[in-house]
C-alpha cells in the first residue's frame, strides 16, 4: 500500500532517465497504453475500458511497476491468465528495458494477489480461517433427521437474503417498491423466487443453519402464542423445578401496528426454569394455537440467553399427529425469532398441533422460553400514518428487523429519516449483531451466533434491444475497507475469492445446462452489503431484470433451480476450502418413482437414482422414504442404503402417501413427487394413478421484431408451489418504446398457487371415497420406461394437470409423449379403462400421430381453449366449479380445453357456455373418459368424490 502511494507520486515527478524522457520511454508508454486500452478478458466482457494509469521505472533496481485502472481488476484472474498477461507485457518491453523485471498492479494490488485461493498451488493463509472456528453446538439442530452430514455444511451458519422489498418513501409519504415493474415482476419480488423456494432449502439440506434478515415465509397468516397471552394457548406444567420470570423483559404482542422504535421483545416477560436430568420428572410448556385453516405454517421460537443458559434446549413440534424434535443452543441468539421449520398443521385447536419445550437437559443451567410464532404474517410496522398492507415477506429488511427485536441502531441507521437506506444497511447490521462475539466476529458485541458468510442475491439493470443478446451475471465484493481486514483479522480478499467463485460457478453451470451465458465483471466497490459484514460477503447480480433475453431464462423455474444449485455448490466449496475440509455435493432427486402392491397388502416402492454429470461427489449413497397416512403429516423419514426399493405393509383401508429423497455425506436432495397407495382386502378392482404433471415454466412468450415480453393472460406459466413473484400483467410489449416491459401491479402481494407435485393424493382420496379399490401410483417417466406393467390394472387414472409443450420452456414437456401413447393404446386394446384429465389434453396433441391417438383411443378431438370467465361445469347429474382463474388456493386451468366427441363417444360434461368439457366412450372393447380440465382443479372435495364415484362406475362397474 505504501509503495503504491509512492508510485503515484513519482508519476508526476519522474527524475531524468525515467518514464517519458527517452525514445524507449515513449515507445514503452505507447505500447502499454495501447495494450491496456485494447485489452479484453477471455470469456468475459468489460462494461468500461481498461487503461494504463501510471508507470514507474526504477533504473537502479532495474524494475518497472505498471498500474492499470480499476476496470482491469474486474476480470477473473487465474494462474494461466496472469501468466498470459505477463508474457504479453514482456513482449512490449523495448530497448534498454527489455530485461527489466516488472509488476502489474490494479485496484491497489499486484495481479498475483487477485488469483483466488481455490486456483493457487499454495493457498494464501491470510484469507483462510485457519485456527478460527466455532466448536460448540449449532444454533438449531433437528435431532429427528434420520441422516448425519459429515462433508456438507452441517453446523455452519450462513446469512442469505433476497435483495429489495416494499418500503416507505418518507419524502413521498407513501409505501412503494424499490425497483421498477418490468416483465410482470420486479427485482423486489424476483430475487425472492430464487432464494426462498430453492437456495435456502438447498443450503439447509446440506446441514447449514440459514439466517435471513427478511421474513422467509410466503404466508399471510400469523398466530402468536406467548406466556403473556391466553392461558388456553400457553400452558405450563411443573415437576420438581418451577417456572418463574426471567430477570429481563420479554416479548409481548399487541393488536394493531407497531410504531418506529417500538421493540416487541421489550414489552413483556419471559419464563425460565432450572434444568433436570430426569427423563420422567420434568417441567414443560406447551404452545397450542388455534389454527384458522389446515396448511403449512412456519414455526419460530424465542427465548432469552442468560449467563447459565444451556445449549441443548429440547423443543418438539407436533404437526398433524407427527412429531419433530429440535435441540436449540440457548447460549446464543436470545431475544429474537429463531426459525425451526415449516410444518403441516390442522385447522382448529388440538394437542396434535402444538410446540412443547421441556427442561430436560444433559447440562446444568436454565431453560428460558418466550413467545412462539406460527406463519409469516402481514406487515405490522407503521410508517407515516399506515402499515404497508403487504405480506411481511415482501417488505424490506428494516421492518422485519424491528419485528425480530433488533436494537434501533441495527434497523434505523438513518435516524428514521430514510427507510431506503435503512433497509440496505439493516441486512448487514443484523448479521453483525447476531454474529457479534462469535469466533468470526470476536471484537463485536452481539448474540454470539457463529455466522461466517453472507450472500445478497440481486438482479441488475441493462438492456439489449435485439431481444436475443444476454446481459448476464455480475458479482460484487469490497476489499478496500477496515485496512483490508474482516472482523476476525482475516484478509478481505476472502470476499473477492467468494465473489469470483460465485461468478465462475454460475457461468460454468449455465453454459453447461443451457449452452450459453454471459460473464460480466467482478466489482470490488464500496457497497453496504459487502462492506459492512464482518465476515466474507458477496453480492451476486444474477442477471438483468431489464433485458428480455435474460428474463426468458429468469422466469423459468428450471433456470432458478439451476442458478440456486450453482450458488449452493459454490458456497459449499468456499466454506469447506476456508476450513481446509473435504466436501460432498448433495445428490439430485430420484426419478421414475413407482409403487406396486401385492395381494397381501405389501407395498413396494421403487425409484432410480440420478447422477449429476457435473459433480462426481453428488452420487447418492442412500435414500430417505417419507411416509404419511391420510390426516397426518409426513414422518421424518426412514433410511434405505445401497438399494433403490423399499417395502412397507399397508393397513387395510388406510390411504398412504410417500415421497423419496436421495442423500450422501453432503446432505439430501429435494424429494420426488408425492405418490399414494391403498390396500383393500376385498377390493372391487385395481387402479393405477399416473402423475403426468411435471411442468414448470415461464408465462407465454411474445417474441418478434417489434414485440417482446410475457403474456400472463395467454398462459401464466407454472411455478413450483406458490409464488409472490408476479407484480402484474405486462402492459408494454413494444421493444422500441421507452417504457418497454412496463407492467401493472394488480398481483402484487398475492401468493399465486403453482405445481405442488402432490395431486396424486387428491385423486386417491376421491377414489377411496368412491369405494373399495386397491390404489397404486407412479410417475409418468416410470410408466414410459415400462417399469410398471399396465395390464394388471382395471383402470388407469392419468392426471396431466397443466402438462404441455409450450415451445418456450427450458425443459421439454409434452402432454402424452409417443412412448406413453403407445402404452395407452395397447392397454385400451386389451380392454382396459382410461380416465384422462388435463388442461391441454387436446390442444397439445398437434401431430398426425397425436390426433390419431385422440380420435382412435380417447375418442375425442381438440376444439379450442375455454377462456370464458364462468368457472362452472355441468355433467354426470351435477354442477361444480373449477379453478379457472389465478388464485392463492390452488393452481388454475386458465385455458382449459374444449374437446368434442368422435364416433360413438358422447359429451359427458359441458362448460357454462355449452361447449364440451369431457368426452366419454363406452364400447364393447374398452371404455374411456377424457376431461379437458384437471380433475384436481374441481374446487369442492364433495363434488370430486361424487364425480369420481360416477366415473369409476362408468369405467369399471359396467353392470
Amino acid at each position: 500500500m505504501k509503495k503504491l502511494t509512492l508510485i503515484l507520486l513519482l508519476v508526476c515527478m519522474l527524475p531524468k532517465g525515467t518514464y517519458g524522457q527517452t525514445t524507449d520511454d515513449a515507445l514503452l508508454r505507447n505500447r502499454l497504453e495501447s495494450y491496456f486500452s485494447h485489452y479484453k478478458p477471455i470469456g468475459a466482457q468489460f462494461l468500461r475500458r481498461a487503461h494504463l494509469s501510471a508507470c514507474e521505472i526504477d533504473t537502479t533496481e532495474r524494475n518497472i511497476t505498471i498500474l492499470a485502472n480499476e476496470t482491469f481488476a474486474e476480470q477473473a484472474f487465474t494462474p494461466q491468465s496472469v501468466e498470459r498477461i505477463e508474457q504479453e507485457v514482456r513482449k512490449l518491453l523495448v530497448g534498454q528495458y527489455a530485461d527489466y523485471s516488472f509488476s502489474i498492479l490494479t485496484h491497489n494490488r499486484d495481479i498475483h494477489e487477485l488469483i483466488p485461493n481455490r486456483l493457487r498451488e499454495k493457498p494464501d493463509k491470510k484469507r483462510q480461517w485457519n485456527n478460527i472456528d466455532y466448536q460448540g453446538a449449532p444454533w438449531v439442530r433437528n435431532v429427528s433427521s434420520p441422516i448425519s452430514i459429515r462433508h456438507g455444511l452441517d453446523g455452519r451458519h450462513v446469512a442469505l437474503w433476497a435483495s429489495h422489498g416494499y418500503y416507505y418513501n418518507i419524502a413521498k409519504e407513501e409505501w412503494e417498491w424499490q425497483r421498477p415493474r418490468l416483465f410482470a415482476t420486479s427485482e423486489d419480488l424476483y430475487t425472492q423466487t430464487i432464494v426462498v423456494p430453492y437456495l435456502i432449502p438447498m443450503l439447509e439440506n446440506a446441514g447449514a443453519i440459514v439466517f435471513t434478515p427478511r421474513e422467509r415465509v410466503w404466508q399471510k397468516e400469523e398466530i402468536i402464542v406467548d406466556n403473556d397471552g391466553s392461558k388456553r394457548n400457553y400452558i405450563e406444567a411443573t415437576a420438581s423445578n418451577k417456572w418463574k420470570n426471567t430477570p429481563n423483559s420479554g416479548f409481548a404482542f399487541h393488536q394493531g401496528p407497531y410504531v418506529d422504535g417500538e421493540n416487541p421483545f421489550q414489552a413483556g416477560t419471559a419464563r425460565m426454569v432450572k434444568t433436570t436430568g430426569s427423563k420422567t420428572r420434568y417441567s414443560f410448556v406447551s404452545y397450542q394455537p388455534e389454527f384458522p385453516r389446515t396448511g403449512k405454517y412456519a414455526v419460530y421460537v424465542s427465548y432469552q440467553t442468560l449467563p447459565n443458559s444451556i445449549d441443548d434446549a429440547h423443543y418438539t413440534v407436533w404437526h398433524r399427529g407427527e412429531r419433530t424434535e429440535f435441540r436449540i443452543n440457548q447460549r446464543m441468539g436470545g431475544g429474537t425469532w429463531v426459525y425451526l421449520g415449516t410444518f403441516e398443521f390442522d385447522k382448529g385447536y388440538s394437542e396434535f398441533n402444538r410446540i412443547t419445550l421441556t427442561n430436560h437437559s444433559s447440562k446444568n443451567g436454565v431453560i428460558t422460553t418466550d413467545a412462539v410464532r406460527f406463519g409469516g404474517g402481514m406487515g405490522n410496522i407503521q410508517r407515516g400514518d399506515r402499515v404497508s398492507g403487504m405480506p411481511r415477506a415482501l417488505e424490506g429488511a428494516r421492518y422485519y428487523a424491528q419485528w425480530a427485536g433488533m436494537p434501533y441502531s441495527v434497523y434505523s441507521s438513518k435516524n428514521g429519516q430514510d427507510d431506503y437506506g435503512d433497509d440496505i444497511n439493516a441486512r448487514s447490521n443484523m448479521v453483525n449483531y447476531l454474529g457479534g462475539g462469535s469466533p468470526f466476529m470476536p471484537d463485536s458485541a452481539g448474540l454470539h451466533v457463529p455466522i461466517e458468510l453472507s450472500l445478497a442475491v440481486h438482479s441488475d439493470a441493462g438492456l439489449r434491444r435485439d431481444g436475443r443478446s444476454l446481459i448476464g451475471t455480475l458479482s460484487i465484493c469490497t476489499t478496500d475497507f477496515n485496512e483490508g481486514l474482516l472482523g476476525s483479522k482475516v484478509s478481505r480478499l476472502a470476499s473477492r475469492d467468494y465473489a469470483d467463485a460465485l461468478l465462475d460457478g454460475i457461468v460454468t453451470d449455465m453454459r453447461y445446462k443451457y449452452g450459453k451465458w454471459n460473464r460480466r465483471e467482478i466489482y470490488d466497490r464500496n457497497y453496504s452489503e459487502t462492506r459492512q459484514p464482518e465476515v466474507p460477503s458477496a453480492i451476486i447480480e444474477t442477471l438483468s431484470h431489464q433485458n428480455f433475453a435474460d428474463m426468458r431464462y429468469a422466469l423459468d423455474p428450471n433456470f432458478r433451480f439451476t442458478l440456486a444449485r450453482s450458488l449452493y455448490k459454490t458456497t459449499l466449496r468456499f466454506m469447506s476450502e476456508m476450513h481446509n475440509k473435504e466436501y460432498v455435493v448433495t445428490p439430485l432427486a430420484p426419478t421414475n418413482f413407482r409403487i406396486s402392491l401385492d395381494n397381501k397388502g405389501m407395498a413396494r416402492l421403487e425409484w432410480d437414482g440420478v447422477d449429476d454429470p457435473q459433480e462426481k461427489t453428488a452420487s447418492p449413497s442412500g435414500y430417505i422414504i417419507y411416509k404419511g397416512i391420510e390426516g397426518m403429516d409426513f414422518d421424518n423419514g426412514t433410511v434405505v442404503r445401497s438399494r433403490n426399493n423399499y417395502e412397507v405393509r399397508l393397513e387395510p383401508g388406510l390411504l398412504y402417501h410417500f415421497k423419496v429423497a436421495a442423500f450422501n455425506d453432503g446432505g439430501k436432495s429435494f424429494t420426488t413427487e408425492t405418490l399414494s397407495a391403498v390396500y383393500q382386502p376385498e377390493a372391487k378392482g385395481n387402479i393405477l394413478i399416473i402423475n403426468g404433471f411435471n411442468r414448470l415454466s415461464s408465462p407465454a412468450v411474445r417474441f418478434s421484431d417489434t414485440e417482446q415480453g410475457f403474456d400472463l393472460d395467454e398462459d401464466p406459466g407454472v411455478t413450483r408451489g406458490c409464488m409472490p413473484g408476479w407484480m402484474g400483467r405486462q402492459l408494454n410489449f413494444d421493444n422500441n418504446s421507452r417504457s418497454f416491459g412496463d407492467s401493472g401491479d394488480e398481483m402484487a402481494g398475492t401468493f399465486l398457487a403453482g405445481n405442488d407435485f402432490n395431486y396424486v393424493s387428491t385423486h386417491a382420496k376421491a377414489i377411496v371415497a368412491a369405494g373399495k379399490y386397491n390404489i397404486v401410483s407412479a410417475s409418468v417417466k416410470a410408466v414410459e420406461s415400462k417399469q410398471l406393467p399396465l395390464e394388471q390394472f382395471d383402470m388407469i387414472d392419468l392426471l396431466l394437470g397443466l402438462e404441455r409443450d409450450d415451445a418456450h420452456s427450458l425443459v421439454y414437456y409434452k402432454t402424452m409423449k409417443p412412448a406413453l401413447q403407445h402404452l395407452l393404446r395397447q392397454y385400451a386394446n386389451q380392454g382396459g379403462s382410461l380416465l384422462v384429465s388435463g388442461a391441454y389434453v387436446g390442444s397439445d396433441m398437434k401431430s398426425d400421430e397425436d390426433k390419431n391417438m385422440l380420435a382412435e383411443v380417447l375418442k375425442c378431438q381438440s376444439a379450442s381453449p375455454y377462456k370464458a370467465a364462468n368457472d362452472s361445469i355441468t355433467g354426470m347429474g351435477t354442477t361444480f366449479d373449477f379453478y379457472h382463474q389465478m388464485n392463492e388456493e390452488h393452481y388454475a386451468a386458465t385455458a382449459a380445453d374444449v374437446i368434442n366427441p368422435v364416433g360413438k363417444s358422447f359429451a359427458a360434461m359441458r362448460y357454462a357456455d355449452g361447449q364440451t368439457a369431457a368426452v366419454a366412450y363406452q364400447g364393447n372393447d374398452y371404455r374411456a373418459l377424457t376431461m379437458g380440465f384437471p380433475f384436481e382443479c374441481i374446487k369442492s372435495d364433495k363434488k370430486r368424490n361424487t364425480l369420481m364415484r360416477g366415473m369409476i362406475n362408468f369405467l369399471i362397474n359396467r353392470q
Side-chain angles (χ1 to χ4, degrees):
M1 298 285 286
K2 293 181 180 179
K3 183 176 181 181
L4 180 59
T5 303
L6 178 61
I7 292 170
L8 293 173
L9 291 173
L10 289 174
V11 169
C12 301
M13 301 182 297
L14 294 177
K16 185 176 182 180
T18 61
Y19 175 50
Q21 303 299 313
T22 68
T23 301
D24 286 347
D25 294 342
L27 182 58
L28 175 61
R29 179 193 64 200
N30 291 337
R31 286 187 169 194
L32 290 174
E33 287 178 346
S34 176
Y35 175 78
F36 285 102
S37 64
H38 291 88
Y39 180 84
K40 293 182 179 180
I42 295 175
Q45 65 176 14
F46 285 149
L47 187 62
R48 302 170 301 160
R49 280 182 176 272
H51 62 77
L52 179 69
S53 295
C55 176
E56 179 198 20
I57 302 174
D58 189 329
T59 55
T60 302
E61 298 293 331
R62 300 179 63 78
N63 177 69
I64 303 173
T65 302
I66 301 165
L67 179 65
N69 72 329
E70 291 189 356
T71 297
F72 193 71
E74 293 170 358
Q75 64 183 300
F77 289 98
T78 68
Q80 295 76 23
S81 68
V82 168
E83 182 180 6
R84 174 179 58 84
I85 292 167
E86 291 184 332
Q87 288 175 349
E88 291 170 349
V89 170
R90 168 60 65 188
K91 294 177 182 178
L92 303 178
L93 304 186
V94 294
Q96 61 182 313
Y97 305 129
D99 60 350
Y100 272 37
S101 62
F102 67 91
S103 57
I104 303 171
L105 285 75
T106 179
H107 197 71
N108 300 342
R109 297 187 186 276
D110 189 294
I111 59 174
H112 286 269
E113 284 188 272
L114 301 181
I115 299 173
N117 257 2
R118 74 180 191 282
L119 302 179
R120 290 170 172 263
E121 185 175 342
K122 293 183 179 181
D124 178 6
K125 292 187 176 182
K126 294 179 181 178
R127 58 180 97 171
Q128 288 182 308
W129 292 122
N130 299 314
N131 295 325
I132 301 171
D133 202 359
Y134 172 71
Q135 302 295 337
W139 194 8
V140 179
R141 182 162 54 101
N142 181 345
V143 296
S144 294
S145 173
I147 63 170
S148 59
I149 301 171
R150 297 189 301 163
H151 299 303
L153 294 170
D154 192 38
R156 298 293 174 196
H157 298 71
V158 180
L160 166 68
W161 57 88
S163 54
H164 304 280
Y166 208 51
Y167 85 108
Y168 185 72
N169 186 320
I170 292 175
K172 295 182 179 179
E173 297 184 340
E174 63 184 30
W175 288 85
E176 64 181 18
W177 299 102
Q178 295 187 34
R179 292 295 182 263
R181 304 188 302 268
L182 292 169
F183 298 120
T185 187
S186 73
E187 181 181 359
D188 305 60
L189 300 181
Y190 170 69
T191 53
Q192 282 208 41
T193 68
I194 302 167
V195 170
V196 173
Y198 295 111
L199 184 51
I200 289 178
M202 287 176 183
L203 292 168
E204 291 178 335
N205 284 349
I209 297 92
V210 178
F211 166 75
T212 180
R214 298 180 63 183
E215 174 59 59
R216 60 185 287 165
V217 181
W218 291 344
Q219 186 183 34
K220 296 178 180 179
E221 300 287 354
E222 181 179 45
I223 309 104
I224 294 174
V225 181
D226 183 26
N227 64 287
D228 293 309
S230 168
K231 300 309 176 186
R232 178 175 182 263
N233 304 114
Y234 173 83
I235 302 167
E236 287 183 3
T238 298
S240 57
N241 298 324
K242 295 183 178 181
W243 292 93
K244 62 181 181 180
N245 282 352
T246 62
N248 304 322
S249 299
F251 181 91
F253 174 73
H254 68 69
Q255 295 292 334
Y258 283 71
V259 299
D260 193 39
E262 187 177 2
N263 190 332
F265 280 87
Q266 295 178 357
T269 64
R271 303 288 281 170
M272 61 187 289
V273 65
K274 289 182 179 180
T275 59
T276 179
S278 174
K279 295 182 179 180
T280 56
R281 279 184 57 81
Y282 52 80
S283 301
F284 73 90
V285 292
S286 173
Y287 295 84
Q288 187 170 317
E290 180 93 24
F291 287 101
R293 65 189 66 183
T294 297
K296 291 184 178 181
Y297 294 81
V299 174
Y300 293 87
V301 300
S302 62
Y303 53 85
Q304 292 186 354
T305 296
L306 300 176
N308 54 343
S309 288
I310 50 91
D311 63 2
D312 63 346
H314 184 196
Y315 289 83
T316 302
V317 180
W318 304 83
H319 46 107
R320 302 199 75 189
E322 292 292 343
R323 67 177 185 179
T324 302
E325 298 181 66
F326 293 86
R327 295 288 182 175
I328 307 299
N329 187 344
Q330 292 194 345
R331 293 173 180 170
M332 64 175 75
T336 189
W337 297 120
V338 181
Y339 177 77
L340 300 189
T342 297
F343 305 88
E344 284 271 357
F345 295 99
D346 283 314
K347 178 181 178 180
Y349 179 83
S350 166
E351 63 182 341
F352 298 110
N353 298 274
R354 58 177 178 148
I355 311 299
T356 59
L357 168 65
T358 77
N359 70 330
H360 175 261
S361 173
S362 61
K363 312 292 174 61
N364 291 322
V366 297
I367 296 281
T368 64
T369 190
D370 203 347
V372 172
R373 182 163 72 92
F374 300 84
M378 299 293 290
N380 62 349
I381 305 300
Q382 179 176 311
R383 302 294 288 143
D385 60 354
R386 56 194 179 278
V387 297
S388 71
M390 286 288 169
R392 184 178 291 118
L394 305 188
E395 293 182 335
R398 183 195 198 276
Y399 314 108
Y400 179 77
Q402 181 177 350
W403 184 233
M406 296 293 106
Y408 192 70
S409 60
V410 168
Y411 67 84
S412 186
S413 57
K414 306 292 184 180
N415 295 318
Q417 299 304 306
D418 179 5
D419 283 21
Y420 182 95
D422 284 345
D423 177 41
I424 294 173
N425 293 329
R427 307 163 198 169
S428 301
N429 289 346
M430 288 183 77
V431 173
N432 291 343
Y433 179 71
L434 285 171
S438 75
F440 306 107
M441 308 179 199
D443 299 327
S444 300
L447 301 185
H448 299 271
V449 180
I451 295 172
E452 57 179 289
L453 189 74
S454 77
L455 173 62
V457 179
H458 288 246
S459 60
D460 201 5
L463 179 62
R464 302 281 192 269
R465 289 288 181 183
D466 61 10
R468 294 178 172 85
S469 300
L470 293 164
I471 299 294
T473 303
L474 165 79
S475 63
I476 302 171
C477 63
T478 304
T479 63
D480 189 16
F481 180 72
N482 191 34
E483 298 183 346
L485 299 175
L486 298 166
S488 58
K489 310 306 179 188
V490 167
S491 170
R492 280 181 167 265
L493 282 172
S495 292
R496 180 177 170 107
D497 285 0
Y498 184 42
D500 179 282
L502 290 167
L503 184 56
D504 184 68
I506 286 177
V507 173
T508 298
D509 291 340
M510 295 305 158
R511 289 177 180 174
Y512 178 89
K513 188 76 173 180
Y514 305 115
K516 61 180 179 179
W517 195 249
N518 199 25
R519 179 182 185 126
R520 296 174 60 198
E521 304 92 337
I522 303 169
Y523 282 171
D524 189 343
R525 299 183 181 179
N526 186 8
Y527 283 73
S528 171
E529 290 166 293
T530 53
R531 179 189 72 247
Q532 291 187 192
E534 296 189 26
V535 291
S537 57
I539 297 171
I540 192 73
E541 298 280 4
T542 52
L543 45 79
S544 171
H545 53 247
Q546 188 183 7
N547 194 53
F548 173 68
D550 288 42
M551 293 304 289
R552 286 193 69 170
Y553 287 95
L555 294 184
D556 192 305
N558 295 289
F559 174 86
R560 296 199 286 269
F561 175 90
T562 305
L563 177 60
R565 185 163 168 86
S566 181
L567 296 174
Y568 144 69
K569 289 188 299 182
T570 296
T571 300
L572 167 68
R573 294 189 193 103
F574 177 78
M575 296 183 75
S576 300
E577 290 163 358
M578 286 288 288
H579 291 283
N580 196 27
K581 302 286 187 180
E582 295 181 6
Y583 66 85
V584 172
V585 175
T586 56
L588 296 170
T591 189
N592 294 344
F593 187 26
R594 66 268 187 196
I595 302 175
S596 57
L597 184 66
D598 69 14
N599 58 9
K600 295 182 179 179
M602 184 65 74
R604 182 177 176 85
L605 283 62
E606 297 178 277
W607 58 86
D608 294 330
V610 176
D611 287 328
D612 185 340
Q614 288 183 272
E615 299 293 340
K616 293 181 179 179
T617 67
S619 296
S621 57
Y623 300 90
I624 308 171
I625 293 84
Y626 297 97
K627 179 183 71 177
I629 300 175
E630 183 61 25
M632 299 176 67
D633 199 2
F634 281 97
D635 62 16
N636 289 289
T638 300
V639 167
V640 170
R641 298 181 185 272
S642 304
R643 68 181 194 272
N644 292 23
N645 58 78
Y646 174 73
E647 292 187 343
V648 57
R649 186 170 298 281
L650 307 186
E651 292 294 324
L654 292 181
L655 174 56
Y656 288 79
H657 308 296
F658 301 95
K659 55 187 178 181
V660 182
F663 76 89
N664 58 22
D665 281 345
K668 64 181 180 180
S669 70
F670 282 19
T671 65
T672 62
E673 72 265 68
T674 297
L675 295 185
S676 302
V678 176
Y679 168 61
Q680 300 280 13
E682 300 176 357
K684 295 186 289 184
N686 300 311
I687 297 176
L688 169 66
I689 307 172
I690 302 175
N691 176 40
F693 179 22
N694 298 296
R695 180 175 167 232
L696 298 171
S697 74
S698 75
V701 174
R702 286 198 203 176
F703 182 51
S704 69
D705 291 339
T706 58
E707 281 196 331
Q708 296 167 9
F710 303 92
D711 190 339
L712 272 70
D713 290 322
E714 176 63 26
D715 179 359
V718 188
T719 62
R720 185 185 182 97
C722 76
M723 192 190 79
W726 302 129
M727 183 67 73
R729 291 169 176 80
Q730 185 172 333
L731 303 175
N732 189 326
F733 292 84
D734 182 357
N735 65 339
N736 291 312
S737 169
R738 293 185 63 183
S739 58
F740 170 52
D742 185 37
S743 303
D745 63 358
E746 73 277 5
M747 297 181 188
T750 303
F751 299 134
L752 293 176
N755 188 352
D756 288 329
F757 292 91
N758 65 354
Y759 304 110
V760 166
S761 62
T762 305
H763 286 236
K765 280 185 276 188
I767 295 171
V768 169
K772 291 187 176 182
Y773 300 94
N774 287 325
I775 303 171
V776 294
S777 48
S779 71
V780 71
K781 291 182 180 180
V783 173
E784 290 170 343
S785 58
K786 300 181 181 180
Q787 300 189 67
L788 203 66
L790 301 185
E791 62 271 11
Q792 61 185 300
F793 299 104
D794 298 288
M795 186 184 104
I796 289 176
D797 176 1
L798 173 61
L799 73 91
L800 295 169
L802 301 180
E803 200 76 356
R804 176 193 186 196
D805 177 17
D806 55 31
H808 63 259
S809 291
L810 296 174
V811 173
Y812 175 65
Y813 302 101
K814 172 70 177 173
T815 301
M816 285 180 276
K817 294 178 181 176
L820 180 61
Q821 292 183 33
H822 174 72
L823 291 169
L824 295 179
R825 186 184 289 272
Q826 277 188 333
Y827 175 75
N829 289 339
Q830 295 168 355
S833 295
L834 285 170
L835 172 61
V836 180
S837 64
Y840 302 102
V841 68
S843 58
D844 195 43
M845 305 289 277
K846 299 175 183 177
S847 70
D848 290 341
E849 292 79 4
D850 291 344
K851 293 175 182 178
N852 288 338
M853 164 66 183
L854 282 181
E856 296 170 4
V857 179
L858 300 183
K859 305 299 184 182
C860 64
Q861 62 183 4
S862 177
S864 61
Y866 176 72
K867 290 193 173 185
N870 197 305
D871 299 343
S872 68
I873 297 174
T874 301
M876 304 190 74
T878 189
T879 298
F880 55 90
D881 292 336
F882 75 112
Y883 289 105
H884 185 41
Q885 316 297 329
M886 289 184 286
N887 66 91
E888 296 187 324
E889 301 298 324
H890 193 283
Y891 84 82
T894 57
D897 266 357
V898 175
I899 50 176
N900 290 329
V902 170
K904 295 181 180 180
S905 64
F906 58 92
M909 302 178 198
R910 295 188 182 277
Y911 295 111
D913 63 359
Q915 297 189 88
T916 305
V919 170
Y921 170 71
Q922 55 176 1
N924 295 323
D925 45 358
Y926 70 95
R927 295 194 179 190
L929 198 155
T930 306
M931 304 164 65
F933 61 95
F935 173 79
E936 62 272 16
C937 281
I938 297 171
K939 292 182 179 180
S940 164
D941 292 349
K942 184 177 180 180
K943 293 290 186 180
R944 281 198 303 271
N945 295 345
T946 299
L947 283 168
M948 183 61 78
R949 183 180 300 111
M951 291 188 294
I952 291 176
N953 286 336
F954 171 79
L955 292 168
I956 299 180
N957 303 322
R958 304 179 183 180
Q959 66 275 8

